[in-house]
PDB file of all heavy atoms in Angstrom:
ATOM      1  N   GLN A 152      35.306 -22.808  64.698  1.00  0.00           N
ATOM      2  CA  GLN A 152      35.556 -21.854  65.756  1.00  0.00           C
ATOM      3  C   GLN A 152      35.364 -20.429  65.308  1.00  0.00           C
ATOM      4  O   GLN A 152      36.055 -19.536  65.725  1.00  0.00           O
ATOM      5  CB  GLN A 152      36.925 -22.015  66.448  1.00  0.00           C
ATOM      6  CG  GLN A 152      36.978 -23.229  67.402  1.00  0.00           C
ATOM      7  CD  GLN A 152      37.384 -24.488  66.650  1.00  0.00           C
ATOM      8  OE1 GLN A 152      38.313 -24.456  65.851  1.00  0.00           O
ATOM      9  NE2 GLN A 152      36.680 -25.566  66.927  1.00  0.00           N
ATOM     10  N   THR A 153      34.445 -20.193  64.360  1.00  0.00           N
ATOM     11  CA  THR A 153      34.088 -18.819  64.003  1.00  0.00           C
ATOM     12  C   THR A 153      32.605 -18.630  64.279  1.00  0.00           C
ATOM     13  O   THR A 153      31.783 -18.987  63.467  1.00  0.00           O
ATOM     14  CB  THR A 153      34.376 -18.490  62.505  1.00  0.00           C
ATOM     15  OG1 THR A 153      33.870 -19.614  61.739  1.00  0.00           O
ATOM     16  CG2 THR A 153      35.861 -18.326  62.216  1.00  0.00           C
ATOM     17  N   PRO A 154      32.291 -18.073  65.459  1.00  0.00           N
ATOM     18  CA  PRO A 154      30.902 -17.837  65.763  1.00  0.00           C
ATOM     19  C   PRO A 154      30.229 -17.027  64.672  1.00  0.00           C
ATOM     20  O   PRO A 154      30.747 -16.020  64.220  1.00  0.00           O
ATOM     21  CB  PRO A 154      30.996 -16.974  67.035  1.00  0.00           C
ATOM     22  CG  PRO A 154      32.337 -17.228  67.613  1.00  0.00           C
ATOM     23  CD  PRO A 154      33.253 -17.529  66.469  1.00  0.00           C
ATOM     24  N   SER A 155      29.104 -17.541  64.189  1.00  0.00           N
ATOM     25  CA  SER A 155      28.493 -16.934  62.966  1.00  0.00           C
ATOM     26  C   SER A 155      26.960 -16.868  63.092  1.00  0.00           C
ATOM     27  O   SER A 155      26.362 -17.748  63.798  1.00  0.00           O
ATOM     28  CB  SER A 155      28.793 -17.779  61.755  1.00  0.00           C
ATOM     29  OG  SER A 155      30.164 -17.796  61.480  1.00  0.00           O
ATOM     30  N   ALA A 156      26.399 -15.918  62.444  1.00  0.00           N
ATOM     31  CA  ALA A 156      24.934 -15.906  62.294  1.00  0.00           C
ATOM     32  C   ALA A 156      24.693 -16.112  60.784  1.00  0.00           C
ATOM     33  O   ALA A 156      25.330 -15.459  59.940  1.00  0.00           O
ATOM     34  CB  ALA A 156      24.334 -14.595  62.753  1.00  0.00           C
ATOM     35  N   VAL A 157      23.846 -17.064  60.449  1.00  0.00           N
ATOM     36  CA  VAL A 157      23.576 -17.362  59.066  1.00  0.00           C
ATOM     37  C   VAL A 157      22.103 -17.342  58.806  1.00  0.00           C
ATOM     38  O   VAL A 157      21.326 -17.893  59.563  1.00  0.00           O
ATOM     39  CB  VAL A 157      24.145 -18.747  58.592  1.00  0.00           C
ATOM     40  CG1 VAL A 157      23.865 -19.053  57.108  1.00  0.00           C
ATOM     41  CG2 VAL A 157      25.636 -18.869  58.888  1.00  0.00           C
ATOM     42  N   SER A 158      21.642 -16.656  57.736  1.00  0.00           N
ATOM     43  CA  SER A 158      20.279 -16.601  57.371  1.00  0.00           C
ATOM     44  C   SER A 158      20.135 -16.823  55.866  1.00  0.00           C
ATOM     45  O   SER A 158      20.881 -16.281  55.091  1.00  0.00           O
ATOM     46  CB  SER A 158      19.704 -15.249  57.768  1.00  0.00           C
ATOM     47  OG  SER A 158      18.350 -15.196  57.338  1.00  0.00           O
ATOM     48  N   LEU A 159      19.258 -17.855  55.490  1.00  0.00           N
ATOM     49  CA  LEU A 159      19.188 -18.195  54.123  1.00  0.00           C
ATOM     50  C   LEU A 159      17.703 -18.298  53.774  1.00  0.00           C
ATOM     51  O   LEU A 159      16.910 -18.749  54.603  1.00  0.00           O
ATOM     52  CB  LEU A 159      19.814 -19.570  53.871  1.00  0.00           C
ATOM     53  CG  LEU A 159      21.271 -19.724  54.276  1.00  0.00           C
ATOM     54  CD1 LEU A 159      21.664 -21.217  54.339  1.00  0.00           C
ATOM     55  CD2 LEU A 159      22.223 -18.983  53.328  1.00  0.00           C
ATOM     56  N   GLY A 160      17.308 -17.794  52.602  1.00  0.00           N
ATOM     57  CA  GLY A 160      15.931 -17.857  52.268  1.00  0.00           C
ATOM     58  C   GLY A 160      15.686 -18.133  50.823  1.00  0.00           C
ATOM     59  O   GLY A 160      16.369 -17.566  49.943  1.00  0.00           O
ATOM     60  N   VAL A 161      14.667 -18.985  50.523  1.00  0.00           N
ATOM     61  CA  VAL A 161      14.235 -19.227  49.192  1.00  0.00           C
ATOM     62  C   VAL A 161      12.710 -19.181  49.180  1.00  0.00           C
ATOM     63  O   VAL A 161      12.108 -19.916  49.969  1.00  0.00           O
ATOM     64  CB  VAL A 161      14.694 -20.635  48.644  1.00  0.00           C
ATOM     65  CG1 VAL A 161      14.141 -20.910  47.244  1.00  0.00           C
ATOM     66  CG2 VAL A 161      16.218 -20.698  48.627  1.00  0.00           C
ATOM     67  N   LEU A 162      12.143 -18.347  48.388  1.00  0.00           N
ATOM     68  CA  LEU A 162      10.677 -18.239  48.324  1.00  0.00           C
ATOM     69  C   LEU A 162      10.261 -18.789  46.974  1.00  0.00           C
ATOM     70  O   LEU A 162      10.656 -18.331  45.950  1.00  0.00           O
ATOM     71  CB  LEU A 162      10.262 -16.781  48.485  1.00  0.00           C
ATOM     72  CG  LEU A 162       8.835 -16.480  48.763  1.00  0.00           C
ATOM     73  CD1 LEU A 162       8.415 -17.073  50.142  1.00  0.00           C
ATOM     74  CD2 LEU A 162       8.626 -14.981  48.790  1.00  0.00           C
ATOM     75  N   VAL A 163       9.369 -19.830  47.021  1.00  0.00           N
ATOM     76  CA  VAL A 163       8.931 -20.473  45.799  1.00  0.00           C
ATOM     77  C   VAL A 163       7.473 -19.981  45.499  1.00  0.00           C
ATOM     78  O   VAL A 163       6.610 -19.925  46.386  1.00  0.00           O
ATOM     79  CB  VAL A 163       9.017 -22.017  45.954  1.00  0.00           C
ATOM     80  CG1 VAL A 163       8.463 -22.715  44.693  1.00  0.00           C
ATOM     81  CG2 VAL A 163      10.421 -22.474  46.231  1.00  0.00           C
ATOM     82  N   ASP A 164       7.261 -19.617  44.233  1.00  0.00           N
ATOM     83  CA  ASP A 164       5.949 -19.089  43.801  1.00  0.00           C
ATOM     84  C   ASP A 164       4.967 -20.277  43.637  1.00  0.00           C
ATOM     85  O   ASP A 164       5.366 -21.425  43.594  1.00  0.00           O
ATOM     86  CB  ASP A 164       6.153 -18.339  42.508  1.00  0.00           C
ATOM     87  CG  ASP A 164       5.144 -17.246  42.345  1.00  0.00           C
ATOM     88  OD1 ASP A 164       4.142 -17.220  43.082  1.00  0.00           O
ATOM     89  OD2 ASP A 164       5.342 -16.403  41.414  1.00  0.00           O
ATOM     90  N   THR A 165       3.678 -19.932  43.384  1.00  0.00           N
ATOM     91  CA  THR A 165       2.665 -20.957  43.220  1.00  0.00           C
ATOM     92  C   THR A 165       2.886 -21.768  41.958  1.00  0.00           C
ATOM     93  O   THR A 165       2.511 -22.942  41.883  1.00  0.00           O
ATOM     94  CB  THR A 165       1.282 -20.355  43.157  1.00  0.00           C
ATOM     95  OG1 THR A 165       1.340 -19.187  42.295  1.00  0.00           O
ATOM     96  CG2 THR A 165       0.808 -19.919  44.524  1.00  0.00           C
ATOM     97  N   ASP A 166       3.621 -21.231  40.921  1.00  0.00           N
ATOM     98  CA  ASP A 166       3.943 -22.001  39.746  1.00  0.00           C
ATOM     99  C   ASP A 166       5.251 -22.814  39.859  1.00  0.00           C
ATOM    100  O   ASP A 166       5.767 -23.259  38.917  1.00  0.00           O
ATOM    101  CB  ASP A 166       3.969 -21.111  38.534  1.00  0.00           C
ATOM    102  CG  ASP A 166       5.113 -20.114  38.537  1.00  0.00           C
ATOM    103  OD1 ASP A 166       5.847 -20.102  39.566  1.00  0.00           O
ATOM    104  OD2 ASP A 166       5.279 -19.359  37.558  1.00  0.00           O
ATOM    105  N   ASN A 167       5.774 -22.843  41.155  1.00  0.00           N
ATOM    106  CA  ASN A 167       7.009 -23.550  41.450  1.00  0.00           C
ATOM    107  C   ASN A 167       8.295 -22.791  41.085  1.00  0.00           C
ATOM    108  O   ASN A 167       9.401 -23.257  41.335  1.00  0.00           O
ATOM    109  CB  ASN A 167       7.131 -24.986  40.875  1.00  0.00           C
ATOM    110  CG  ASN A 167       6.184 -25.928  41.598  1.00  0.00           C
ATOM    111  OD1 ASN A 167       5.518 -25.526  42.530  1.00  0.00           O
ATOM    112  ND2 ASN A 167       6.160 -27.158  41.111  1.00  0.00           N
TER     113      ASN A 167
END
Side-chain angles (χ1 to χ4, degrees):
Q152 285 87 44
T153 45
S155 295
V157 179
S158 178
L159 305 165
V161 175
L162 195 63
V163 178
D164 209 347
T165 44
D166 67 355
N167 287 359

